[in-house]
């Protein structure tokens, strides 16, 4: 006997997932077309040995073929005062001028980010309407005192000061 799983409303599912607070990152790469970046909150560490991270990218995103062409990507974890940068790479620019990139490990990364990881594409996993891209980290920077930009319930926020 096979039981059918209930059909979930996509908006309700998205809202429920929005109840999980995440950091905010900029995923960037460099390919023949130049430097490219997008805002994302689907990022996680996978393994310490070897050092692996993962990002999730919509299979329709313009970034996905660029990541594949480059074979590498960077993840810049934004500081609490970088909301304008998050909006910019989410397609809603709030500043003018060049993107605030510096270079690390041969890729563009956000200067002064809380943490930065540069990785070669290790593997991919198709997952519904997204692709999980696993990367092997070969360069990184971290400011252990940086306060991250947080995303919760469809809004940006900051963490309260630690005592």
């Amino acid at each position: 006997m096979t039981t059918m799983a209930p059909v979930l409303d996509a908006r309700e599912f998205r809202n429920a997932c929005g109840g999980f607070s995440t950091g905010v990152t900029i995923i960037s790469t460099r390919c023949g077309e130049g430097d490219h970046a997008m805002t994302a909150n689907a990022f996680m560490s996978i393994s310490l040995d070897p050092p692996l991270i993962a990002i999730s990218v919509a299979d329709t995103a313009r970034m996905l073929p660029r990541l594949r062409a480059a074979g590498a990507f960077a993840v810049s974890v934004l500081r609490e005062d970088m909301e304008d940068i998050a909006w910019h790479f989410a397609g809603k620019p709030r500043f003018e001028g060049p993107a605030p990139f510096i270079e690390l490990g041969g890729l563009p990364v956000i200067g002064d980010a809380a943490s930065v990881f540069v990785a070669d594409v290790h593997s991919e996993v198709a997952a519904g309407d997204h692709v999980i891209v696993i990367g092997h980290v070969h360069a990184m920077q971290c400011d252990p005192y940086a306060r991250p930009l947080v995303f919760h319930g469809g809004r940006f926020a900051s963490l309260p000061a630690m005592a």
Side-chain angles (χ1 to χ4, degrees), residues 14 19 38 50 54 64 78 92 94 96 106 122 125 142 148 154:
R14 182 178 178 149
M38 64 178 260
L64 188 58
L78 299 184
K92 299 176 182 176
R94 292 200 175 175
E96 293 188 24
H122 175 277
V125 178
C142 178

Side-chain angles (χ1 to χ4, degrees), residues 25-31 36-38 40 42-46 51-57 63-64 66-76 104-109 116-124 131-140:
T25 69
I26 302 299
I27 308 301
S28 55
T29 195
R30 175 175 288 152
C31 62
H36 302 279
M38 64 178 260
F43 161 74
M44 63 186 237
S45 62
I46 298 291
L52 300 176
I53 58 174
I55 58 173
S56 180
V57 180
M63 178 61 85
L64 188 58
R66 293 169 175 159
L67 288 172
R68 288 174 170 156
F73 63 94
V75 177
S76 300
L104 179 67
L107 290 179
V109 300
V116 176
F117 305 89
V118 178
D120 295 320
V121 173
H122 175 277
S123 56
E124 291 184 11
V131 175
I132 299 167
V133 182
I134 300 171
H136 185 245
V137 177
H138 63 81
M140 61 177 249

Side-chain angles (χ1 to χ4, degrees), residues 21-26 39-41 77-87 114 146-152 155-159:
S21 299
T22 65
V24 182
T25 69
I26 302 299
T39 301
N41 63 353
V77 178
L78 299 184
R79 291 176 181 268
E80 68 181 348
D81 62 349
M82 294 181 162
E83 185 176 332
D84 286 349
I85 293 171
W87 282 116
R147 291 168 49 107
L149 182 61
V150 176
F151 193 71
H152 178 85
R155 295 191 299 221
F156 293 110
S158 299
L159 294 175

